[in-house]
Amino acid sequence: MRKQKNKLAGLQRRKAIAGYIFIAPFILGFLVFMVKPFFQSLYMSFCNVEVSAGSFNPVFQGIDNYKRAFTIDPQFSRLLVEELSRMAVDSVAIMVFSFFVALILNQKFKGRALVRAIFFLPVILSSGVILGLETDNALMAQLQVAIEETTSGISITAAVEEILRTAGVGVRAFEKVFEIIDKIYDIAISSGIQIIIFLSGLQTISASMYEAADIEGCTKWESLWKITFPMISSMFLVNWIYTIIDFCMRSDNEVIEKITKVMVDEINYGFSSAMTWIYFLIVIAGVGGMCFMILQPILNKISVSFMEEQDLYNPVVVAIPEHFTTENYAIAAEIMDYSHSVVNSLVISLTIAILQITVCTLVGYGFARFNFPLKKFWFACVLMVVLVPPQTISTSLYLHFRFFDILGICKAVTGSTINLRGSVIPYYLMSAGCMGLKNGLYIYMIRQFFRNIPKELEEAAYVDGCGTLKTFVRIMLPDAKPILTSCFLFAFVWQWTDGLGAYLQRILGLSQTPSVGYANCISSTGTLMIIVPVLVLYLFAQRGFVESLSSSGIKM
């Protein structure tokens, strides 16, 4: 009996060690690229950071930066209130929009694969660089004005709004509703991930439950409230938190623009850190307490990409070019150095995506299948990685890689630190430590998938003589292909759009273009050249993509 207990204790100890080995990349990355920058950024917010040729020196000055943010800076308080108000309204609109779109996409109809591919566009369009270009695109604003002029100012929305104002019925509430309607495109492009998460949850609901409800005489409305809502209630909290955190990362967020300007242009790292912490803490406190709409801007871009410059300023030309041309594609390809940039972005996106999914798979499997000391603590750290916006530690990370050193070894050997700024090495280092873009989300999804695999399958492999590593490679990995494909697609898309988006910014910086409008026309053409390859990829992979997400579940 004692021997059996000792053997069992030894097995549990070996499994605990194996669990730590599997999640070791995350622990290392978390300590190096999250914990240190996190607390360093917090300390810097109370300091005046002095940057010299080979290092930086934070000089403690108390809460002066926080006082400056609230009492001296003329913009920060106003921008903070405006963006938080916009976040509160937009998050509700995004949740409602994404849920009902997911309900529609879950139905069976002809062309469903194509429609799902169309609704994958928000995932591409909401990436940082492209979203920023969309926000600052003067050409889209000119097209909107031209459309309004050609329709003689007739607007059904405006007419209904005027009637309700005159009647005096719920004026403030209706103002908010019409405000959301006016910016429905912004709501749509922010709903991509939420739609997919809701869709994955809807696919886990057994059809037999709806059949039983029909037999009992339930209407569709009653089934929605008594079956659908209770079954995916946990999804709403996950999506709401994700929506708020994602809002903090948007490049059209004026608070983030203000912080970036202070950090990069004014080189005031202490003050920028203080503003990021103010924003982060307020957001965390807050967290504590339809197809045409998406297609329209893409169709506009397609139309504009075939227009000559004279068509852009012709009020008669709205959607169909009067002077058809393909020269814009040649110009965009030349400015972006398209062949070189595509190859470069493809190599970097593929290698980083593969590296991220490899280490996140190890970590996710370790959390799902092993028990070890402090397991809940380390998984809470994973959730922290998901919840903390990258901008919170961006200042600290910037200086971390500007004066990069490994335990003081580089400075001891060479006499100076290494400047990794402007290279791709930081991407690979952070990806290897599970601190790359959205890596916390990948770990969570992969963990959920592995938790749903029956333990008996793993135990049978151990009985047959398979060790921990052999069980993982021969038994678990083949079953995990769908979720790994989904996470790889996410990782590749986000890296691809950010990588090629940097080349796209060259267009807006040209001085020799004839006009700002034509520069925006070329920019729209370049955006299409970035989006189309990813959209084609998703069109072929969408079935396994959605099915894998539905099998990952949200079991805590």
Side-chain angles (χ1 to χ4, degrees):
M1 186 71 177
R2 191 173 179 181
K3 269 187 176 182
Q4 191 174 3
K5 285 185 177 180
N6 290 336
K7 189 174 181 180
L8 182 61
L11 177 62
Q12 290 175 341
R13 186 166 55 251
R14 287 196 300 273
K15 293 191 75 173
I17 294 172
Y20 264 105
I21 292 173
F22 272 93
I23 73 166
F26 171 78
I27 294 176
L28 182 62
F30 181 76
L31 293 175
V32 176
F33 298 121
M34 175 58 75
V35 173
K36 182 183 177 182
F38 186 81
F39 288 104
Q40 188 179 51
S41 174
L42 179 60
Y43 178 68
M44 285 167 55
S45 69
F46 296 98
C47 300
N48 178 32
V49 182
E50 299 175 352
V51 181
S52 59
S55 63
F56 63 95
N57 180 34
V59 180
F60 187 80
Q61 60 179 22
I63 61 172
D64 289 355
N65 287 326
Y66 290 90
K67 288 181 178 178
R68 178 182 172 185
F70 285 114
T71 61
I72 300 176
D73 191 281
Q75 295 180 322
F76 183 69
S77 296
R78 175 181 59 82
L79 293 177
L80 192 63
V81 172
E82 290 177 356
E83 289 300 317
L84 289 175
S85 300
R86 185 162 74 99
M87 178 180 68
V89 175
D90 286 7
S91 60
V92 174
I94 289 169
M95 293 291 289
V96 174
F97 179 87
S98 57
F99 176 68
F100 283 103
V101 169
L103 284 177
I104 294 171
L105 295 181
N106 195 45
Q107 307 301 313
K108 292 183 179 180
F109 54 88
K110 290 184 178 180
R112 184 171 65 169
L114 176 61
V115 175
R116 283 182 176 178
I118 290 169
F119 276 94
F120 182 68
L121 280 173
V123 178
I124 305 171
L125 293 175
S126 61
S127 65
V129 174
I130 290 182
L131 182 61
L133 291 171
E134 287 290 305
T135 305
D136 299 329
N137 198 327
L139 180 59
M140 293 298 106
Q142 292 174 6
L143 283 174
Q144 182 179 356
V145 172
I147 292 171
E148 289 176 354
E149 289 176 352
T150 54
T151 54
S152 303
I154 298 172
S155 172
I156 296 176
T157 305
V160 173
E161 185 175 2
E162 185 62 32
I163 292 171
L164 292 172
R165 283 177 182 275
T166 305
V169 179
V171 175
R172 290 187 178 180
F174 280 117
E175 281 180 352
K176 288 295 180 184
V177 172
F178 284 113
E179 181 182 331
I180 293 172
I181 293 173
D182 288 338
K183 57 181 180 181
I184 190 65
Y185 170 60
D186 294 331
I187 301 298
I189 66 169
S190 302
S191 304
I193 298 297
Q194 292 88 334
I195 291 172
I196 292 172
I197 292 176
F198 275 133
L199 187 58
S200 68
L202 290 171
Q203 292 193 348
T204 62
I205 303 175
S206 174
S208 60
M209 297 183 69
Y210 292 106
E211 292 171 0
D214 290 338
I215 293 173
E216 294 293 332
C218 284
T219 62
K220 296 295 183 183
W221 180 254
E222 290 172 331
S223 295
L224 174 67
W225 285 102
K226 295 181 179 180
I227 298 177
T228 306
F229 267 108
M231 292 295 292
I232 65 166
S233 57
S234 59
M235 298 282 191
F236 284 93
L237 180 60
V238 172
N239 263 343
W240 184 64
I241 294 175
Y242 176 84
T243 300
I244 291 177
I245 300 303
D246 186 61
F247 186 89
C248 299
M249 300 168 58
R250 290 168 61 101
S251 59
D252 63 339
N253 188 320
E254 293 188 14
V255 174
I256 300 303
E257 289 178 359
K258 168 72 175 177
I259 293 170
T260 304
K261 182 179 178 181
V262 170
M263 182 182 75
V264 178
D265 296 346
E266 301 177 16
I267 317 179
N268 194 335
Y269 300 117
F271 185 40
S272 65
S273 294
M275 289 193 293
T276 57
W277 273 95
I278 291 170
Y279 191 39
F280 167 63
L281 291 174
I282 291 176
V283 169
I284 290 300
V287 170
M290 259 153 210
C291 183
F292 176 75
M293 295 172 188
I294 297 175
L295 268 181
Q296 185 180 16
I298 301 300
L299 293 175
N300 286 339
K301 287 184 181 295
I302 294 172
S303 173
V304 166
S305 69
F306 292 106
M307 289 184 183
E308 291 187 358
E309 185 176 5
Q310 56 185 313
D311 289 345
L312 301 176
Y313 302 101
N314 187 344
V316 178
V317 178
V318 176
I320 302 175
E322 186 175 330
H323 302 89
F324 187 87
T325 181
T326 58
E327 188 179 354
N328 295 333
Y329 287 91
I331 295 174
E334 182 181 353
I335 296 174
M336 293 170 61
D337 191 8
Y338 191 67
S339 58
H340 173 266
S341 60
V342 164
V343 172
N344 188 47
S345 295
L346 183 63
V347 172
I348 293 174
S349 300
L350 276 175
T351 52
I352 288 179
I354 291 172
L355 178 60
Q356 288 181 351
I357 300 311
T358 300
V359 293
C360 288
T361 301
L362 292 173
V363 173
Y365 181 72
F367 278 119
R369 310 303 289 192
F370 299 105
N371 291 318
F372 47 86
L374 301 178
K375 175 180 175 179
K376 291 184 178 180
F377 167 77
W378 288 115
F379 189 67
C381 293
V382 173
L383 298 180
M384 176 183 171
V385 172
V386 177
L387 291 174
V388 175
Q391 285 79 6
T392 303
I393 59 172
S394 59
T395 303
S396 179
L397 275 178
Y398 178 85
L399 294 173
H400 186 63
F401 288 116
R402 171 61 182 85
F403 305 102
F404 186 76
D405 200 356
I406 303 174
L407 302 175
I409 297 174
C410 297
K411 196 167 186 179
V413 174
T414 64
S416 63
T417 56
I418 302 173
N419 181 10
L420 296 181
R421 189 170 59 87
S423 71
V424 297
I425 296 176
Y427 289 105
Y428 289 100
L429 289 176
M430 295 189 68
S431 297
C434 300
M435 292 297 115
L437 186 63
K438 311 285 188 183
N439 280 190
L441 179 63
Y442 305 152
I443 292 173
Y444 179 80
M445 292 169 62
I446 293 170
R447 168 188 176 265
Q448 297 305 107
F449 187 92
F450 280 127
R451 288 190 69 186
N452 288 335
I453 297 178
K455 288 186 177 180
E456 291 76 13
L457 191 63
E458 192 176 20
E459 292 169 356
Y462 289 145
V463 171
D464 288 339
C466 289
T468 301
L469 183 60
K470 192 174 182 180
T471 301
F472 172 67
V473 174
R474 299 288 297 274
I475 306 298
M476 295 298 181
L477 274 185
D479 285 344
K481 284 180 181 178
I483 192 65
L484 298 185
T485 301
S486 300
C487 291
F488 174 80
L489 186 60
F490 277 134
F492 178 80
V493 165
W494 282 322
Q495 195 62 45
W496 171 271
T497 52
D498 276 359
L500 272 178
Y503 290 97
L504 188 60
Q505 286 184 318
R506 295 179 182 178
I507 297 171
L508 298 181
L510 289 179
S511 58
Q512 68 268 27
T513 50
S515 64
V516 175
Y518 193 53
N520 279 290
C521 173
I522 303 300
S523 174
S524 295
T525 306
T527 303
L528 282 175
M529 295 167 71
I530 293 174
I531 290 174
V532 169
V534 179
L535 193 59
V536 171
L537 173 65
Y538 177 77
L539 186 61
F540 287 100
Q542 63 87 25
R543 175 175 293 183
F545 179 68
V546 174
E547 288 177 355
S548 67
L549 288 178
S550 67
S551 60
S552 66
I554 301 291
K555 182 175 66 175
M556 297 301 292

